[in-house]
Amino acid sequence: MTPSDSLLRRHLGWVLVIKLFALFALWWFFVRDSTTQVDPAALSWQFTPNPVVQGAPHGQ
């Protein structure tokens, strides 16, 4: 390993550490306290299948 390879590895290591710190900081300030309220009745209505109506086509 040449000295320039060692310098490059150290530089890339610091860049990765800074990026991980930035990701953690963004998560901490913007995502950490985010919550989602779920209404069980609305959720069950959303996932119930639509009834199939047999007979005349739609619009007649």
Side-chain angles (χ1 to χ4, degrees):
M1 179 182 328
T2 64
S4 63
D5 290 344
S6 177
L7 182 63
L8 179 63
R9 283 182 186 231
R10 187 171 52 233
H11 179 73
L12 289 176
W14 278 111
V15 168
L16 286 174
V17 167
I18 291 168
K19 284 185 175 189
L20 286 173
F21 178 75
L23 282 174
F24 177 75
L26 287 170
W27 175 82
W28 184 267
F29 289 114
F30 296 109
V31 179
R32 178 178 53 108
D33 293 329
S34 297
T35 59
T36 302
Q37 299 297 328
V38 178
D39 181 18
L43 186 66
S44 66
W45 178 80
Q46 184 72 27
F47 286 110
T48 54
N50 293 333
V52 176
V53 178
Q54 295 183 359
H58 183 68
Q60 290 185 351

